[in-house]
Amino acid sequence: MGKSDKKGGKRLKKKELVGMLMELFRGNPTEIYDYKRIFRELNLTTHPAKMLCMDVLEEMVLDDYICEKKGLKFQLNTQGQVMEGTFQRKANGKNTFIPDEGGGPILVAERNSAHAMDGDRVKATLLARRKNHVREAEVTEILERRDKNFVGKLKVNKDYAFLLTENRTLANDIFIPKNKLKGGKTGDKAVVKITEWPENSKNPIGQVVDILGQSGDNTAEMHAILAEYGLPYTYPKALEDAADKIEPGITPEEIARREDMREVTTFTIDPRDAKDFDDALSVRQLGKGLWEVGVHIADVSHYVTEGSAIDKEAVKRATSVYLVDRTIPMLPERLCNFICSLRPDEEKLAYSVIFQLNEKAEIIHWHLAHTVIKSNRRFTYEEVQALLEAKGEASPEDYKAPGDHVPQASAESGTALPAEHFATELITLNRLAKQLREKRFAHGAIDFDRCEVRFETDEKGRPTSVYFKVAKDANKLVEEFMLLANRTVAESIGKVPKNKKAKTFPYRIHDLPDPNKLMNLSEFIVKFGYKLKTNGTKGEVSRGLNKLLTEVRGKKEQNLIETVSLRAMMKARYSTHNIGHYGLAFDYYTHFTSPIRRYPDIMVHRLLTRYAEGGRSGNPEKYEALCEQSSEMEQIAANAERASIKYKQVEFMSERLGQVFDGTISGVTEFGLYVEVNENKCEGMVPLRDLDDDYYEFDERNYCLWGRKHHHRYSLGDSVKIKVARANLDKKQLDYALVKE
């Protein structure tokens, strides 16, 4: 190709350069070129020729002849003008189309949407690109409707009604004929399904699926959040009835098939409001400096058989959902709270990982066994923490941490043995757990200990106060033994000799951080006086992150830097393709310890049992599909949980309109500033339109808004005073106003 950028002393003409570029891309259709390589391939050595080339490349991108990749890289556009993909609806009309072949989202104006709904599979045609305009597409066919319901408030007129939607993906309210109201009245929260959307009609037409209750009623609002995310808020009665017929089945014959650990000191440690006790710990001394620690997990798979009606419902749900004031279980209540739950003073079937540990918390021996256990006591985290602190066994930071503002009573009443009776066992477990934790961090695990917002509520569900849940030694004690069990069983299947293939198994995987986000984090923390190594081995990068997280602990910028650090992390998920768990620094990791509330744990139990009995490897496609379903449902459940917390925050602050609080800027966007109130962590927005003392522009790279005229900056992490201006419960939206000092 190597032509010079001058011919006979004349400068290269645009038309000629276009031909050279077309020849280059056509001749190498799969090749991705950066601009410097293009200059070299075409022998463009002068500045004018390079500038002309960049202009021509931009025009070729606009004409869709080539497509631009990240970082000024270009490739021949081999996509046709007609593509299939997923439609994403936006309330502002700037809908997008995501092609199946990959690539960025393509704008679909409302007039070109063919009334496609969010998540629909569609066929779209690329439109001719107008100069200085973004690429656009038009929906030509809806291939598959996503079955989606909408939640909102009913407004009933004489002959018809509307659902005033809260969903941000739908710009227009839904028209409901009077005979499709299902008894709904004005102000009711309702779930509505769209039945049609006539071509020339502004509003879709729908019918009421369910009436949730009056707007503002706590249960109605919590059910509305679940319905908004497509999550169930009731359990099918037929399955509840089926579960009621299940017997615990702890017969002499069943006990004879199992390892009997009923005489070993065993207890559960859980939150004070827990009813589904997934896990228990047992401990006994085997000899000088040698301890047996049992991690006992509810044997759910003994009761829930694969392919049964209860199992199919569990697959669909994939996880229990934890809202602010309630749990929506994955399994029927009789199973999760009674038969499977490891309740005190009751014989229970368990699947156990039993370790022999020396005083350095090194594993001398371990084995996996189906067991029968009998828990001696149910502990709350607060009780165990109080005992550890009273005995001088807690970590120094635990003594300084603010209390959880939680009553200490709970299990101390009734016939339960006093906590003091188990002091030796609890102290032993705590000492071993601390050593396990220390080794984990030395190996490169990342220490994200985030405090969680919790609410005390009255009998009507209204929040009366806010408290923060901080992980202390009692929580970490349980966590370390669960991590140890999860890692050990994953290694038992995944670690095989080089010439052997590992059997199919669901792993909990966590990829390396996003390099670009890590670089942004590194640049961002410099302004606070911190440094972060972003290259090197996995261990070096994770140790650098840990060093940063340790340095910021207790500083005013702690919450902010932890938040930005978390954004650089990838999301953990389930897969049969193991890549290890970056955050925990484990090469093999799975979820074995919570089968009452997570479906992957049930899969793991079944496969472990099957392989222990010499069974063949599971079908990888089947288990990967189940992993994908579980990962998706886990994310949806987390979103619903956040929405319920947000609702309670808005409800809590709605009674404090006009009050002034100290806050910290927790987010900066082109629409305004997010501010988190220091004393209760309730986050609200200061809209850009309310910053009327200047014309502010958004600087995405430096996380700030800056004023053109007076050059004032509002940056992430800045301390500000705010007044509670507006609280919209329907939209779960808090608006704050800045108070000038």
Side-chain angles (χ1 to χ4, degrees), residues 17 32 52 135 145 245 284 323 416 421 425 451 458 476 508 519 545 584-585 600 619 649 693:
L17 183 54
I32 297 173
L52 178 62
R135 196 177 182 193
R145 283 280 188 195
K245 291 171 186 162
R284 63 178 164 184
L323 300 189
H421 185 82
E425 288 86 352
C451 85
D458 62 19
K476 293 170 186 174
R508 180 70 168 173
M519 186 60 72
L545 266 169
L584 294 172
N619 180 322
Q649 287 179 329
D693 61 335

PDB file of all heavy atoms in Angstrom, residues 17 32 52 135 145 245 284 323 416 421 425 451 458 476 508 519 545 584-585 600 619 649 693:
ATOM      1  N   LEU A  17      -7.555   9.903  -1.305  1.00  0.00           N
ATOM      2  CA  LEU A  17      -7.395   9.360   0.048  1.00  0.00           C
ATOM      3  C   LEU A  17      -8.582   8.481   0.429  1.00  0.00           C
ATOM      4  O   LEU A  17      -8.417   7.424   1.051  1.00  0.00           O
ATOM      5  CB  LEU A  17      -7.217  10.504   1.057  1.00  0.00           C
ATOM      6  CG  LEU A  17      -6.957  10.097   2.512  1.00  0.00           C
ATOM      7  CD1 LEU A  17      -5.771   9.154   2.637  1.00  0.00           C
ATOM      8  CD2 LEU A  17      -6.736  11.328   3.377  1.00  0.00           C
ATOM      9  N   ILE A  32      -8.828  -4.436  12.901  1.00  0.00           N
ATOM     10  CA  ILE A  32      -9.131  -3.181  13.607  1.00  0.00           C
ATOM     11  C   ILE A  32      -7.871  -2.321  13.584  1.00  0.00           C
ATOM     12  O   ILE A  32      -6.810  -2.760  14.026  1.00  0.00           O
ATOM     13  CB  ILE A  32      -9.585  -3.445  15.054  1.00  0.00           C
ATOM     14  CG1 ILE A  32     -10.886  -4.262  15.069  1.00  0.00           C
ATOM     15  CG2 ILE A  32      -9.782  -2.137  15.816  1.00  0.00           C
ATOM     16  CD1 ILE A  32     -11.324  -4.728  16.443  1.00  0.00           C
ATOM     17  N   LEU A  52      -6.281  15.545   7.122  1.00  0.00           N
ATOM     18  CA  LEU A  52      -7.262  15.207   6.090  1.00  0.00           C
ATOM     19  C   LEU A  52      -7.767  13.777   6.317  1.00  0.00           C
ATOM     20  O   LEU A  52      -8.965  13.509   6.206  1.00  0.00           O
ATOM     21  CB  LEU A  52      -6.630  15.335   4.693  1.00  0.00           C
ATOM     22  CG  LEU A  52      -7.544  14.967   3.504  1.00  0.00           C
ATOM     23  CD1 LEU A  52      -8.756  15.899   3.448  1.00  0.00           C
ATOM     24  CD2 LEU A  52      -6.765  15.017   2.194  1.00  0.00           C
ATOM     25  N   ARG A 135     -26.194   8.362  15.025  1.00  0.00           N
ATOM     26  CA  ARG A 135     -26.757   7.269  14.247  1.00  0.00           C
ATOM     27  C   ARG A 135     -28.148   6.916  14.775  1.00  0.00           C
ATOM     28  O   ARG A 135     -28.361   6.853  15.979  1.00  0.00           O
ATOM     29  CB  ARG A 135     -25.821   6.069  14.421  1.00  0.00           C
ATOM     30  CG  ARG A 135     -25.970   4.960  13.447  1.00  0.00           C
ATOM     31  CD  ARG A 135     -24.890   3.950  13.793  1.00  0.00           C
ATOM     32  NE  ARG A 135     -24.897   2.843  12.878  1.00  0.00           N
ATOM     33  CZ  ARG A 135     -24.237   1.723  13.108  1.00  0.00           C
ATOM     34  NH1 ARG A 135     -23.547   1.591  14.211  1.00  0.00           N
ATOM     35  NH2 ARG A 135     -24.262   0.752  12.236  1.00  0.00           N
ATOM     36  N   ARG A 145     -42.636 -10.005  22.149  1.00  0.00           N
ATOM     37  CA  ARG A 145     -43.001  -9.072  23.217  1.00  0.00           C
ATOM     38  C   ARG A 145     -42.459  -9.578  24.560  1.00  0.00           C
ATOM     39  O   ARG A 145     -42.562 -10.762  24.865  1.00  0.00           O
ATOM     40  CB  ARG A 145     -44.522  -8.952  23.333  1.00  0.00           C
ATOM     41  CG  ARG A 145     -45.164  -8.085  22.267  1.00  0.00           C
ATOM     42  CD  ARG A 145     -45.034  -6.640  22.599  1.00  0.00           C
ATOM     43  NE  ARG A 145     -45.798  -5.788  21.685  1.00  0.00           N
ATOM     44  CZ  ARG A 145     -45.627  -4.481  21.586  1.00  0.00           C
ATOM     45  NH1 ARG A 145     -44.709  -3.872  22.337  1.00  0.00           N
ATOM     46  NH2 ARG A 145     -46.344  -3.761  20.760  1.00  0.00           N
ATOM     47  N   LYS A 245     -47.492 -30.780  53.475  1.00  0.00           N
ATOM     48  CA  LYS A 245     -47.586 -32.243  53.558  1.00  0.00           C
ATOM     49  C   LYS A 245     -46.214 -32.898  53.755  1.00  0.00           C
ATOM     50  O   LYS A 245     -46.121 -34.099  53.980  1.00  0.00           O
ATOM     51  CB  LYS A 245     -48.230 -32.785  52.278  1.00  0.00           C
ATOM     52  CG  LYS A 245     -49.703 -32.408  52.179  1.00  0.00           C
ATOM     53  CD  LYS A 245     -50.267 -32.765  50.814  1.00  0.00           C
ATOM     54  CE  LYS A 245     -51.701 -32.245  50.709  1.00  0.00           C
ATOM     55  NZ  LYS A 245     -52.166 -32.172  49.328  1.00  0.00           N
ATOM     56  N   ARG A 284     -15.463 -28.661  68.869  1.00  0.00           N
ATOM     57  CA  ARG A 284     -15.027 -29.471  70.014  1.00  0.00           C
ATOM     58  C   ARG A 284     -13.519 -29.677  69.898  1.00  0.00           C
ATOM     59  O   ARG A 284     -12.964 -29.720  68.797  1.00  0.00           O
ATOM     60  CB  ARG A 284     -15.761 -30.805  70.087  1.00  0.00           C
ATOM     61  CG  ARG A 284     -15.547 -31.738  68.921  1.00  0.00           C
ATOM     62  CD  ARG A 284     -16.293 -33.037  69.141  1.00  0.00           C
ATOM     63  NE  ARG A 284     -16.431 -33.809  67.906  1.00  0.00           N
ATOM     64  CZ  ARG A 284     -17.104 -34.940  67.812  1.00  0.00           C
ATOM     65  NH1 ARG A 284     -17.726 -35.440  68.865  1.00  0.00           N
ATOM     66  NH2 ARG A 284     -17.178 -35.588  66.659  1.00  0.00           N
ATOM     67  N   LEU A 323     -36.482  -7.040  51.582  1.00  0.00           N
ATOM     68  CA  LEU A 323     -36.834  -5.622  51.582  1.00  0.00           C
ATOM     69  C   LEU A 323     -36.618  -5.079  52.997  1.00  0.00           C
ATOM     70  O   LEU A 323     -36.287  -5.826  53.920  1.00  0.00           O
ATOM     71  CB  LEU A 323     -38.280  -5.423  51.137  1.00  0.00           C
ATOM     72  CG  LEU A 323     -38.631  -5.924  49.730  1.00  0.00           C
ATOM     73  CD1 LEU A 323     -40.046  -5.466  49.349  1.00  0.00           C
ATOM     74  CD2 LEU A 323     -37.647  -5.467  48.668  1.00  0.00           C
ATOM     75  N   ALA A 416     -33.265 -20.797  77.090  1.00  0.00           N
ATOM     76  CA  ALA A 416     -31.934 -20.820  76.473  1.00  0.00           C
ATOM     77  C   ALA A 416     -30.843 -20.707  77.523  1.00  0.00           C
ATOM     78  O   ALA A 416     -30.964 -19.972  78.504  1.00  0.00           O
ATOM     79  CB  ALA A 416     -31.813 -19.667  75.471  1.00  0.00           C
ATOM     80  N   HIS A 421     -22.200 -19.714  78.960  1.00  0.00           N
ATOM     81  CA  HIS A 421     -22.026 -21.176  78.927  1.00  0.00           C
ATOM     82  C   HIS A 421     -21.186 -21.622  77.721  1.00  0.00           C
ATOM     83  O   HIS A 421     -20.533 -22.667  77.748  1.00  0.00           O
ATOM     84  CB  HIS A 421     -23.410 -21.838  78.890  1.00  0.00           C
ATOM     85  CG  HIS A 421     -23.384 -23.323  78.980  1.00  0.00           C
ATOM     86  ND1 HIS A 421     -23.279 -24.013  80.179  1.00  0.00           N
ATOM     87  CD2 HIS A 421     -23.401 -24.278  78.005  1.00  0.00           C
ATOM     88  CE1 HIS A 421     -23.262 -25.312  79.934  1.00  0.00           C
ATOM     89  NE2 HIS A 421     -23.339 -25.501  78.625  1.00  0.00           N
ATOM     90  N   GLU A 425     -16.135 -21.904  73.463  1.00  0.00           N
ATOM     91  CA  GLU A 425     -16.334 -22.238  72.043  1.00  0.00           C
ATOM     92  C   GLU A 425     -16.333 -20.982  71.173  1.00  0.00           C
ATOM     93  O   GLU A 425     -15.704 -20.951  70.106  1.00  0.00           O
ATOM     94  CB  GLU A 425     -17.659 -22.996  71.856  1.00  0.00           C
ATOM     95  CG  GLU A 425     -17.647 -24.416  72.375  1.00  0.00           C
ATOM     96  CD  GLU A 425     -17.976 -24.538  73.854  1.00  0.00           C
ATOM     97  OE1 GLU A 425     -18.065 -23.496  74.540  1.00  0.00           O
ATOM     98  OE2 GLU A 425     -18.132 -25.667  74.336  1.00  0.00           O
ATOM     99  N   CYS A 451     -20.908  -0.032  55.732  1.00  0.00           N
ATOM    100  CA  CYS A 451     -22.004  -0.018  56.712  1.00  0.00           C
ATOM    101  C   CYS A 451     -23.328   0.066  55.951  1.00  0.00           C
ATOM    102  O   CYS A 451     -23.407   0.675  54.893  1.00  0.00           O
ATOM    103  CB  CYS A 451     -21.840   1.129  57.693  1.00  0.00           C
ATOM    104  SG  CYS A 451     -22.501   2.693  57.167  1.00  0.00           S
ATOM    105  N   ASP A 458     -42.552   1.659  62.946  1.00  0.00           N
ATOM    106  CA  ASP A 458     -43.674   1.485  63.878  1.00  0.00           C
ATOM    107  C   ASP A 458     -44.599   0.383  63.354  1.00  0.00           C
ATOM    108  O   ASP A 458     -44.313  -0.264  62.343  1.00  0.00           O
ATOM    109  CB  ASP A 458     -44.413   2.813  64.104  1.00  0.00           C
ATOM    110  CG  ASP A 458     -45.038   3.367  62.821  1.00  0.00           C
ATOM    111  OD1 ASP A 458     -45.231   2.585  61.849  1.00  0.00           O
ATOM    112  OD2 ASP A 458     -45.344   4.578  62.777  1.00  0.00           O
ATOM    113  N   LYS A 476     -18.010 -11.314  61.384  1.00  0.00           N
ATOM    114  CA  LYS A 476     -16.835 -11.790  60.638  1.00  0.00           C
ATOM    115  C   LYS A 476     -16.496 -13.233  61.000  1.00  0.00           C
ATOM    116  O   LYS A 476     -15.986 -13.985  60.167  1.00  0.00           O
ATOM    117  CB  LYS A 476     -15.647 -10.867  60.915  1.00  0.00           C
ATOM    118  CG  LYS A 476     -15.844  -9.465  60.345  1.00  0.00           C
ATOM    119  CD  LYS A 476     -14.767  -8.509  60.829  1.00  0.00           C
ATOM    120  CE  LYS A 476     -15.066  -7.085  60.372  1.00  0.00           C
ATOM    121  NZ  LYS A 476     -14.107  -6.115  60.937  1.00  0.00           N
ATOM    122  N   ARG A 508     -18.932 -19.360  41.948  1.00  0.00           N
ATOM    123  CA  ARG A 508     -19.185 -17.938  42.164  1.00  0.00           C
ATOM    124  C   ARG A 508     -17.919 -17.238  41.676  1.00  0.00           C
ATOM    125  O   ARG A 508     -16.848 -17.407  42.249  1.00  0.00           O
ATOM    126  CB  ARG A 508     -19.427 -17.668  43.650  1.00  0.00           C
ATOM    127  CG  ARG A 508     -19.691 -16.209  43.993  1.00  0.00           C
ATOM    128  CD  ARG A 508     -21.028 -15.755  43.487  1.00  0.00           C
ATOM    129  NE  ARG A 508     -21.399 -14.458  44.050  1.00  0.00           N
ATOM    130  CZ  ARG A 508     -22.464 -13.763  43.659  1.00  0.00           C
ATOM    131  NH1 ARG A 508     -23.250 -14.216  42.700  1.00  0.00           N
ATOM    132  NH2 ARG A 508     -22.742 -12.602  44.221  1.00  0.00           N
ATOM    133  N   MET A 519      -8.086   3.268  36.502  1.00  0.00           N
ATOM    134  CA  MET A 519      -7.255   4.437  36.186  1.00  0.00           C
ATOM    135  C   MET A 519      -7.955   5.722  36.637  1.00  0.00           C
ATOM    136  O   MET A 519      -7.325   6.619  37.208  1.00  0.00           O
ATOM    137  CB  MET A 519      -6.992   4.477  34.672  1.00  0.00           C
ATOM    138  CG  MET A 519      -6.011   5.563  34.239  1.00  0.00           C
ATOM    139  SD  MET A 519      -4.384   5.380  34.989  1.00  0.00           S
ATOM    140  CE  MET A 519      -3.776   3.941  34.115  1.00  0.00           C
ATOM    141  N   LEU A 545      -5.156  -1.652  46.563  1.00  0.00           N
ATOM    142  CA  LEU A 545      -6.530  -1.241  46.900  1.00  0.00           C
ATOM    143  C   LEU A 545      -6.764  -1.355  48.402  1.00  0.00           C
ATOM    144  O   LEU A 545      -7.360  -0.475  49.020  1.00  0.00           O
ATOM    145  CB  LEU A 545      -7.531  -2.123  46.153  1.00  0.00           C
ATOM    146  CG  LEU A 545      -8.056  -1.610  44.817  1.00  0.00           C
ATOM    147  CD1 LEU A 545      -8.811  -2.708  44.081  1.00  0.00           C
ATOM    148  CD2 LEU A 545      -8.948  -0.390  44.987  1.00  0.00           C
ATOM    149  N   LEU A 584     -12.161 -11.967  46.626  1.00  0.00           N
ATOM    150  CA  LEU A 584     -11.796 -12.824  47.751  1.00  0.00           C
ATOM    151  C   LEU A 584     -10.396 -13.420  47.593  1.00  0.00           C
ATOM    152  O   LEU A 584      -9.878 -14.047  48.520  1.00  0.00           O
ATOM    153  CB  LEU A 584     -12.812 -13.967  47.894  1.00  0.00           C
ATOM    154  CG  LEU A 584     -14.242 -13.551  48.278  1.00  0.00           C
ATOM    155  CD1 LEU A 584     -15.188 -14.748  48.187  1.00  0.00           C
ATOM    156  CD2 LEU A 584     -14.277 -12.957  49.681  1.00  0.00           C
ATOM    157  N   ALA A 585      -9.813 -13.257  46.401  1.00  0.00           N
ATOM    158  CA  ALA A 585      -8.482 -13.822  46.088  1.00  0.00           C
ATOM    159  C   ALA A 585      -8.495 -15.346  46.211  1.00  0.00           C
ATOM    160  O   ALA A 585      -7.548 -15.954  46.707  1.00  0.00           O
ATOM    161  CB  ALA A 585      -7.399 -13.212  46.976  1.00  0.00           C
ATOM    162  N   PRO A 600     -28.438 -21.454  43.620  1.00  0.00           N
ATOM    163  CA  PRO A 600     -27.157 -22.081  43.272  1.00  0.00           C
ATOM    164  C   PRO A 600     -26.646 -23.029  44.356  1.00  0.00           C
ATOM    165  O   PRO A 600     -26.017 -24.050  44.053  1.00  0.00           O
ATOM    166  CB  PRO A 600     -26.213 -20.880  43.100  1.00  0.00           C
ATOM    167  CG  PRO A 600     -27.112 -19.783  42.663  1.00  0.00           C
ATOM    168  CD  PRO A 600     -28.379 -19.993  43.431  1.00  0.00           C
ATOM    169  N   ASN A 619     -24.802 -31.882  33.011  1.00  0.00           N
ATOM    170  CA  ASN A 619     -24.885 -31.250  31.688  1.00  0.00           C
ATOM    171  C   ASN A 619     -24.459 -29.786  31.795  1.00  0.00           C
ATOM    172  O   ASN A 619     -25.126 -28.985  32.454  1.00  0.00           O
ATOM    173  CB  ASN A 619     -26.332 -31.348  31.183  1.00  0.00           C
ATOM    174  CG  ASN A 619     -26.505 -30.727  29.814  1.00  0.00           C
ATOM    175  OD1 ASN A 619     -25.907 -29.699  29.511  1.00  0.00           O
ATOM    176  ND2 ASN A 619     -27.317 -31.343  28.991  1.00  0.00           N
ATOM    177  N   GLN A 649     -36.265   5.983  52.982  1.00  0.00           N
ATOM    178  CA  GLN A 649     -35.509   7.219  53.176  1.00  0.00           C
ATOM    179  C   GLN A 649     -36.365   8.438  52.820  1.00  0.00           C
ATOM    180  O   GLN A 649     -36.388   9.433  53.546  1.00  0.00           O
ATOM    181  CB  GLN A 649     -34.237   7.204  52.316  1.00  0.00           C
ATOM    182  CG  GLN A 649     -33.168   6.258  52.828  1.00  0.00           C
ATOM    183  CD  GLN A 649     -31.931   6.241  51.956  1.00  0.00           C
ATOM    184  OE1 GLN A 649     -31.994   6.445  50.750  1.00  0.00           O
ATOM    185  NE2 GLN A 649     -30.781   5.985  52.562  1.00  0.00           N
ATOM    186  N   ASP A 693     -27.096  30.601  40.683  1.00  0.00           N
ATOM    187  CA  ASP A 693     -26.154  31.709  40.849  1.00  0.00           C
ATOM    188  C   ASP A 693     -25.109  31.753  39.740  1.00  0.00           C
ATOM    189  O   ASP A 693     -24.240  32.623  39.718  1.00  0.00           O
ATOM    190  CB  ASP A 693     -25.453  31.617  42.215  1.00  0.00           C
ATOM    191  CG  ASP A 693     -24.648  30.327  42.364  1.00  0.00           C
ATOM    192  OD1 ASP A 693     -25.003  29.337  41.682  1.00  0.00           O
ATOM    193  OD2 ASP A 693     -23.686  30.309  43.152  1.00  0.00           O
TER     194      ASP A 693
END
